[in-house]
Amino acid sequence: MACRMQISRHSRWRRAFDGFGLPPRFLTLALLGLPGLASAAYNFNFPEPVTPIARETLHIHNEFMLIITILFVVVFAIMIYSMIKHRKSVGHQPARFSGPKGATQWFWALIPFAILLFIDFVLMGIPAVKAIINMEDTQTRADMVLKVTGMQWKWQYEYPEAGVKFISTLSTPRDQISNAEAKGEHYLLEVDKPVVLPVGKKVRILLTSTDVIHTWWVPQFGVKRDAIPGFLRETWVLIEKPGTYRGQCAELCGKDHGFMPVVVHAVPEPEYLAWLEAQKAEATAAAGGADRAWSSEELMTEGKAVYEKVCAACHQPDGKGLPPAFPGLAGSKIVNGPLLDMNGKVIKDSHVDRVMHGKAGTAMQAFSASLSDVELAAVITYERNSFGNSKGDMIQPAQIKALR
Amino acid sequence: MNAEPTPSAFSDDDLRRRRAAARRLGWLLAAFVLGLYLIGLLIKR
Amino acid sequence: MSIATTHPGGHAAEPYQGGLRRWLTTTNHKDIGTMYMMFSLIMFFVGGLMILAVRAELFQPGLQLMKPEFFNQLIGIHALVMIFAALMPAATGFANWMIPLMIGAPDMALPRLNNWGFWLLPPAAILLTLPFTLALFGIGDGALATGWTFYAPLSVQGGMGVDFAILAVHILGISSIMGSINIIVTIFNMRAPGMTMMKLPLFAWGWLITAFLLIATLPVLAGAVTMLLTDRHFGTHFFDAAGGGDPILFQHLFWFFGHPEVYILLLPVWGLMPHVLATFSRKPTYGYKAQVYSFIAIGLLSVVVWAHHFFTAGMPVPALIYFMFSTMAISLPLAVLFFCWIATMWKGAMSFETPMLFAIGFIVLFGIAGLTGLILADVAADAQYHHSYFVVAHFHYALFAGGIMGVMTGVYYWLPKWTGHMYCEKLGKLHFWLTVFSFNLTFIPQFFLGLAGMPRRIPDYALQFAEFNAISTVGAFILGLSQLIFAWNIWITVRGGKKAEGRVWESAEGLEWELSSPPPHHSWETQPVIK
C-alpha cells in the first residue's frame, strides 16, 4: 500500500507540472539552497483524484493556473521591460501622456479588458458553470445514501437504508501528539472505525451537525461541504478506485478541530455488502443487549471504553476537565447528584439529563442521538463510580431505553 | 495640477459656513449608520 | 487674520502644550495622524508576535508549545489585531495627516470627533487582548477562540473572550465610523477653492470610497455581533436552528461586512499608489478618471459578492453562479487599476528609492493575490481551495503584500514630509528586500500546503505537510525580524537625519509638497488656490 502511494505521488507531480510548465519544486529548492531537502515529500498540486468531480476540479485548477500564470508573466514582463528601459539612470526622458489619445490608443487600451472579459466569463466561466451543475446534482441516479453527522470532535456515519450507524474518532495515540513517542505513518489521519463505501456507486452524502459547524473534506474526492447544526446539506461522491482516502474537518470547530479526521475505505461492492451485513449483525447484538440486565463490572468496562472514545477529549481521561469551558466530573455536584426521581423519571439538570440531552449553548451535546442504550447506561455508570466519585449506583440499558 | 499658496486667508465666515455644513452632513451620515444598524439587528429570515 | 480662525479647536491662541495633555486633548490633524500611525505600528508588532508563536508551534508536527485552545485564540486575535488595530488605523493615520494637506484645508472638519475617534482605539485594543492576561490569573478561559470570523454557533458556546471581542469590535466600529464621517465631510466641505471633485487627489478619492463602505457595512457587523451577544446571554435564537434561527445567517451578515472590509483596507493603498508611481516615474498619473471610476465600481461591487466566502456552506445553484460571476466581475475594475499603474510607469524616467521599490513589490505581489482570487471565485475549484492554506496564502498576499506593504510605501514616501528628515535609504532598501524575500518564503509554501490538503486553523498536522510548514516558519521569523529594521528606521528619522526639503521628491506634485517639511503646526493658514 505504502509503495503504491509513493508511485502515485510521483505521477501526480508529473501531471501537475504539465499544467504549470515550470517545476516549482526545483524553484523552491534553488531558493533555499538546501539540497538536503530533496528527499522530503513535497506535493505541489492536488492529490490524485479518485472521483469524477475531483478529476474535473483538478483539470479546471490546472487550466486556471496556466491562465493566471500566463497573465502574470505577460503583464509583469511588460512592467519589467519598462523598469529596465525607462529609468532615469539610463537617461530616459519622461513622456507626458496621462491617458489614451485617439482611436488607436483607445483600441489598444481596451484590448486587455476585452481579453480579461473573455477569460473571466467564457474561458473560466463556462467550464465552471458546468462543473457546478454537475457538483450540485446529488440526486440523479444516486445508488445509496450516507448520512454524515459532525460532532465535537468526531464524525458519525449512518447508512439509513441498512440501519447501521457508528462513530468514527481519531485513533492516533495522545503520546504521539505530545511527542512522547514516534509518529506513525498516518499521524492524525487515522481513525478507529473508517467509513466504508462501495467503488463505482454514486453515493449521496447528507451532512448535518449536532453542535457547531464542521466541514467534511476528503481532498481526493474533490468534495468539501459544511455540516450545519439543524440543517441538512448534501453532496455526492462516486469513487472510482479502491483504496483508503484520508481527509480532515476543515471548519474551525473548537479545541480539537485539528483532531477529527475523515477516513474512507473504498472497496468493491461485494466486500462492501459483506461489511454492511457484519455491521448489521453487530448492531442487532448491541440492541439485544439493551434488554438484558448488565452487571456493574460489565457496565464499568464498557463505560470506560465509551468514556475514553467520546468524553475524554473535553472532560479529560482523569475526569478533571478543562474548566471553565469543560467542567471536571471528579467531585462534580451533577455527577454525584441523584440518579433518577422516585418515579424513575429523569430529573431536570441531573447527570442523566446532561448526558442524554446535553446543555444548550455549550459544547455538551445531547448524546441520546449518537450513543446506544448500552453505551449511555455504561458511561453514566462509569462516571458515577470513577475519578474518586463513588456513588455505588448503576443504571441499566433497559432503563435508558424506557427513558427515551 | 498646480497649486500655489496665495496671500488670501480662509475667512472666518467661510470657515464657519464650511464647518456648519460639515456638521450637518456628519449628523446625517450618523443617522444613516444608526438606521442600518437597527435594520441589521432586527433582520429576520 | 487671526490664528484662532484657522484652528478649529478654538484654543490655538493658547500657549503650546507639551506632554501627555497635548496628546490626550489634541484636535490637530497632524497630532492625531501621528498617534494613529504609532498605535498602528505598536499593534503591528503585537499581532506579529502572536502569529510568530503560532508559526513556532507549526514548525514541526506534534504539539510543542501550546494547547490547541490557546492556538485558536492566537490566530483569531492576530487577525482582529492586524485588521482593526494595525491596518485600519494606519490608513486612518494617513488620511488624517495627508487629506487636509492635499485638499488645502486648515484641518479636518470635525476635530473633536477626530480626537475621540482615536482615543477609542486603545481601550478597544486592551479589551481585545485583556482576556489573555485574565486567563493567567485564572479568570475566564482566554480570548476569542473562534477565529476572527465569530462564526455561530461556535461563538455562542465560547467563553467570555467572545464577549470581550464583541465589545471591542463595537468600539472599533464606532471609532472607524466617526473617522469615516469626518473624512467624508472634510472632503465634501473643506476643499480649497478650485479643487473640484475631479481634481481631488486619488488618495482622497480612495479614502472617500473606503469611508462610504465603512459607514455602509460596519453597522451590519455591529448588528450581527449584537445578535450574537443576545444569543449568548439573553436567550434569543437568531443563529440557533432549534429556536428557528440559522447559523448561516450569521455568515451572511458577517461577510456582508467582511468582503467590503477587504476593499476598505486596500482602497486607501490603491489611492496612494498613483502618487508614488507618478513621482518616481517623473510622469503624470495615467488614467485619473479611469481610476476614480474603478474605485467607485469596486466599492459598489464589493457589497454584492459576499457569499463567495462560504460557497461550501451549500446554497442553490443560481446563487452559486451569481456570486461566482459577480466576484469575477471585480477583476475588471481591478485590471483597470493595474493597467493604469503600469501605464504610469511606462516611458517615464524611473528611479528606485524605497517607496518606489515597495510600490513595485506591492504591484507584483498584489497581482498574485488578485489572480489567485480570480480562481478562488470559481465555485468548483473553490470546493478544494476553501478552508485550506491556499486561502490563507491568498489573503496574506492581499492583506500583507497589498495592505501592509502598501502602508509601508506610504510611510517611506511621506515620512520626510512628516518629520522633516530623510529616512535612511540603505536601511529602507534592506528592509524592502528582506521583506519581499521572507514574505514569499513564508507564503509560497502555504499555497502548496493548501493544494495538498492542509486545512487552515489546525494546531497540528499530518506528516506529509511537515517540510513546507518548516520552510514557512523560517520565512515568518525572518519576516518578523526584518520589521525591526522598519521600526528602527522610523525611530532614527524622527530623531534626526538629513533635512528634507518641502518638495522632498524632485518631481512630486500636489498641494502637500507646497508646504515645508515638516508642515507648520497649522497647515494652510493661507488658503491655496487650485488652478
Side-chain angles (χ1 to χ4, degrees):
Chain A
M1 185 65 216
C3 181
R4 203 174 70 203
M5 298 280 284
Q6 209 59 39
I7 291 164
S8 68
R9 194 179 287 153
H10 271 287
S11 55
R12 210 178 301 153
W13 285 348
R14 220 162 288 134
R15 262 200 299 280
F17 295 158
D18 288 345
F20 275 115
L22 58 131
R25 177 188 194 195
F26 185 76
L27 286 181
T28 314
L29 293 183
L31 197 68
L32 279 175
L34 290 176
L37 282 176
S39 59
Y42 292 94
N43 285 296
F44 292 99
N45 207 339
F46 292 154
E48 185 198 4
V50 293
T51 66
I53 289 183
R55 247 184 307 113
E56 197 169 355
T57 309
L58 176 66
H59 176 71
I60 286 179
H61 164 77
N62 283 340
E63 202 174 286
F64 287 3
M65 277 295 167
L66 189 68
I67 293 172
I68 66 172
T69 308
I70 292 171
L71 282 177
F72 185 80
V73 170
V74 169
V75 169
F76 291 108
I78 295 171
M79 192 183 86
I80 288 166
Y81 170 83
S82 173
M83 283 164 62
I84 294 167
K85 286 283 182 184
H86 309 144
R87 53 165 74 211
K88 195 189 171 200
S89 56
V90 297
H92 191 269
Q93 290 304 311
R96 297 299 301 167
F97 63 87
S98 63
K101 277 202 188 66
T104 329
Q105 281 198 20
W106 269 105
F107 176 77
W108 285 108
L110 289 176
I111 280 288
F113 302 104
I115 296 174
L116 186 64
L117 206 63
F118 176 75
I119 290 175
D120 275 5
F121 295 107
V122 179
L123 213 53
M124 292 173 75
I126 289 174
V129 169
K130 277 187 191 150
I132 294 169
I133 290 169
N134 186 17
M135 198 168 188
E136 296 298 318
D137 178 18
T138 55
Q139 298 183 27
T140 311
R141 288 195 305 278
D143 296 306
M144 61 173 283
V145 172
L146 173 71
K147 189 179 168 202
V148 178
T149 309
M151 304 172 182
Q152 286 173 319
W153 292 276
K154 50 200 169 274
W155 296 101
Q156 186 190 58
Y157 298 101
E158 185 179 350
Y159 298 76
E161 288 116 337
V164 168
K165 71 174 171 182
F166 58 87
I167 288 178
S168 170
T169 48
L170 178 75
S171 63
T172 301
R174 278 171 186 271
D175 280 351
Q176 287 192 14
I177 296 170
S178 62
N179 307 304
E181 65 180 68
K183 297 181 180 16
E185 188 193 356
H186 298 300
Y187 176 66
L188 294 188
L189 295 181
E190 50 198 351
V191 295
D192 55 353
K193 205 159 176 197
V195 57
V196 178
L197 290 176
V199 169
K201 294 276 167 196
K202 179 165 179 175
V203 184
R204 181 178 174 202
I205 298 178
L206 303 178
L207 299 117
T208 188
S209 160
T210 58
D211 35 49
V212 301
I213 299 172
H214 302 270
T215 300
W216 197 80
W217 182 26
V218 179
Q220 287 180 272
F221 294 172
V223 156
K224 185 186 282 148
R225 182 84 352 148
D226 292 2
I228 296 159
F231 292 86
L232 275 182
R233 289 292 190 269
E234 53 186 310
T235 185
W236 65 276
V237 298
L238 193 160
I239 309 167
E240 292 165 331
K241 199 174 128 184
T244 304
Y245 304 109
R246 297 166 198 278
Q248 278 173 277
C249 174
E251 175 69 285
L252 179 60
C253 56
K255 86 180 172 70
D256 282 350
H257 162 53
F259 306 95
M260 51 182 293
V262 175
V263 180
V264 179
H265 268 312
V267 295
E269 201 186 2
E271 208 176 310
Y272 163 75
L273 290 174
W275 174 84
L276 203 60
E277 282 312 310
Q279 296 302 309
K280 272 190 212 161
E282 214 172 276
T284 320
D291 297 328
R292 70 176 174 91
W294 286 56
S295 75
S296 98
E297 285 76 25
E298 281 177 316
L299 284 176
M300 287 296 282
T301 319
E302 170 74 11
K304 189 169 193 306
V306 175
Y307 182 84
E308 277 165 10
K309 181 170 167 179
V310 180
C311 318
C314 298
H315 294 297
Q316 302 298 297
D318 60 4
K320 296 219 162 57
L322 294 166
F326 308 113
L329 302 180
S332 148
K333 265 196 201 131
I334 292 177
V335 176
N336 289 296
L339 190 61
L340 297 171
D341 71 6
M342 294 172 331
N343 307 320
K345 296 280 178 227
V346 176
I347 306 167
K348 193 168 162 27
D349 290 332
S350 70
H351 185 199
V352 176
D353 186 32
R354 274 284 187 285
V355 175
M356 288 185 68
H357 307 123
K359 185 180 180 192
T362 70
M364 185 67 197
Q365 54 185 259
F367 284 100
S368 58
S370 53
L371 296 183
S372 71
D373 298 337
V374 174
E375 288 167 323
L376 283 169
V379 81
I380 291 170
T381 305
Y382 175 72
E383 285 172 357
R384 298 175 79 78
N385 297 294
S386 309
F387 330 120
N389 300 339
S390 50
K391 290 296 287 181
D393 54 10
M394 58 187 262
I395 188 165
Q396 285 294 336
Q399 284 174 286
I400 299 282
K401 199 175 179 184
L403 289 173
R404 279 189 192 263
Chain B
M1 172 173 56
N2 284 315
E4 57 187 55
T6 61
S8 70
F10 281 104
S11 72
D12 285 6
D13 265 359
D14 186 27
L15 256 188
R16 207 174 298 127
R17 216 174 38 247
R18 283 163 179 268
R19 287 197 192 290
R23 253 194 312 278
R24 272 196 306 277
L25 184 55
W27 280 114
L28 201 70
L29 291 171
F32 170 75
V33 164
L34 201 67
L36 263 184
Y37 172 77
L38 291 176
I39 292 170
L41 192 63
L42 300 176
I43 198 167
K44 292 257 170 68
R45 287 187 307 133
Chain C
M1 61 153 271
S2 72
I3 293 172
T5 59
T6 62
H7 191 65
H11 58 88
E14 293 167 21
Y16 173 80
Q17 288 178 332
L20 188 63
R21 180 134 177 244
R22 167 188 172 188
W23 297 107
L24 274 175
T25 59
T26 183
T27 52
N28 182 288
H29 74 100
K30 301 190 197 69
D31 285 353
I32 294 172
T34 304
M35 291 197 294
Y36 267 112
M37 300 307 295
M38 295 308 294
F39 177 78
S40 161
L41 187 65
I42 292 166
M43 295 314 285
F44 175 54
F45 281 98
V46 170
L49 280 176
M50 288 178 190
I51 210 62
L52 284 187
V54 164
R55 281 308 331 163
E57 171 58 55
L58 291 173
F59 184 57
Q60 282 181 332
L63 292 177
Q64 287 87 14
L65 302 171
M66 59 186 75
K67 288 182 173 167
E69 301 90 296
F70 188 60
F71 180 94
N72 291 346
Q73 296 169 23
L74 284 180
I75 51 171
I77 302 295
H78 157 77
L80 285 171
V81 163
M82 286 304 199
I83 291 170
F84 285 97
L87 259 176
M88 285 169 74
T92 317
F94 281 163
N96 262 295
W97 247 106
M98 300 314 295
I99 287 181
L101 299 188
M102 285 176 150
I103 67 173
D107 202 310
M108 299 295 280
L110 309 169
R112 288 197 192 90
L113 188 74
N114 207 8
N115 172 291
W116 197 20
F118 173 78
W119 281 109
L120 282 177
L121 288 180
I126 290 169
L127 274 181
L128 211 48
T129 48
L130 190 64
F132 284 122
T133 322
L134 289 181
L136 290 182
F137 294 103
I139 307 170
D141 46 4
L144 175 81
T146 65
W148 83 287
T149 49
F150 290 95
Y151 275 7
L154 184 61
S155 51
V156 175
Q157 70 169 223
M160 73 181 193
V162 181
D163 302 317
F164 274 76
I166 289 175
L167 200 53
V169 163
H170 271 124
I171 298 175
L172 290 162
I174 292 170
S175 160
S176 293
I177 287 173
M178 292 196 304
S180 302
I181 289 178
N182 206 352
I183 286 164
I184 292 174
V185 299
T186 302
I187 293 176
F188 281 170
N189 292 303
M190 302 298 283
R191 279 169 289 135
M195 169 84 67
T196 60
M197 284 308 273
M198 285 323 262
K199 282 185 181 168
L200 198 64
L202 279 169
F203 175 72
W205 257 116
W207 239 112
L208 189 65
I209 309 297
T210 285
F212 273 112
L213 284 178
L214 275 168
I215 63 170
T217 59
L218 270 172
V220 179
L221 173 70
V225 293
T226 307
M227 289 151 87
L228 186 58
L229 197 69
T230 62
D231 263 19
R232 283 171 57 79
H233 297 294
F234 307 116
T236 56
H237 297 96
F238 289 110
F239 310 125
D240 179 4
D246 185 346
I248 301 303
L249 172 63
F250 183 83
Q251 302 190 7
H252 281 284
L253 291 176
F254 183 87
W255 288 112
F256 180 79
F257 150 80
H259 193 76
E261 173 70 10
V262 178
Y263 301 108
I264 285 165
L265 298 170
L266 291 174
L267 273 163
V269 170
W270 297 339
L272 146 75
M273 282 304 146
H275 295 268
V276 178
L277 293 170
T279 296
F280 295 98
S281 305
R282 293 164 182 79
K283 200 170 144 272
T285 303
Y286 184 92
Y288 172 92
K289 277 187 192 165
Q291 295 195 50
V292 170
Y293 297 144
S294 296
F295 290 168
I296 297 171
I298 291 170
L300 292 175
L301 282 173
S302 75
V303 290
V304 296
V305 298
W306 70 89
H308 66 227
H309 289 270
F310 46 94
F311 278 149
T312 62
M315 50 187 105
V317 172
L320 291 173
I321 292 173
Y322 161 72
F323 282 111
M324 175 174 79
F325 282 142
S326 59
T327 304
M328 283 180 168
I330 295 184
S331 70
L332 282 161
L334 206 50
V336 172
L337 293 182
F338 274 93
F339 186 88
C340 291
W341 295 335
I342 293 174
T344 301
M345 295 160 75
W346 187 255
K347 292 200 170 165
M350 277 181 260
S351 59
F352 299 94
E353 288 85 352
T354 309
M356 184 63 165
L357 287 179
F358 269 97
I360 291 167
F362 159 88
I363 295 176
V364 175
L365 297 178
F366 182 63
I368 296 178
L371 290 169
T372 50
L374 190 59
I375 58 172
L376 272 164
D378 181 303
V379 179
D382 181 77
Q384 201 72 313
Y385 307 134
H386 199 74
H387 290 324
S388 83
Y389 258 82
F390 190 87
V391 171
V392 175
H394 158 74
F395 68 67
H396 279 96
Y397 272 85
L399 295 184
F400 188 98
I404 293 193
M405 280 178 61
V407 166
M408 286 168 176
T409 312
V411 168
Y412 281 112
Y413 184 58
W414 284 323
L415 197 59
K417 170 56 64 188
W418 299 338
T419 62
H421 305 130
M422 291 305 289
Y423 60 85
C424 174
E425 192 65 54
K426 266 190 192 144
L427 282 180
K429 284 188 170 144
L430 180 69
H431 173 224
F432 169 76
W433 287 112
L434 274 174
T435 301
V436 165
F437 167 76
S438 54
F439 171 77
N440 284 302
L441 190 61
T442 310
F443 291 104
I444 287 176
Q446 294 189 6
F447 278 125
F448 295 128
L449 280 174
L451 295 183
M454 177 164 166
R456 5 173 356 190
R457 293 166 166 167
I458 54 174
D460 193 4
Y461 47 84
L463 301 180
Q464 79 221 50
F465 306 128
E467 290 82 6
F468 279 136
N469 268 298
I471 298 172
S472 184
T473 297
V474 171
F477 272 83
I478 304 175
L479 184 59
L481 287 174
S482 32
Q483 302 319 310
L484 294 173
I485 303 173
F486 180 54
W488 173 248
N489 205 352
I490 292 175
W491 174 250
I492 58 173
T493 313
V494 171
R495 296 300 295 263
K498 205 181 93 194
K499 287 268 173 271
E501 291 162 24
R503 190 161 294 277
V504 184
W505 313 107
E506 60 172 313
S507 62
E509 283 190 27
L511 279 178
E512 70 270 33
W513 308 107
E514 305 294 333
L515 290 167
S516 60
S517 298
H521 195 60
H522 303 303
S523 25
W524 303 122
E525 286 182 4
T526 55
Q527 191 180 34
V529 172
I530 316 301
K531 289 179 179 166

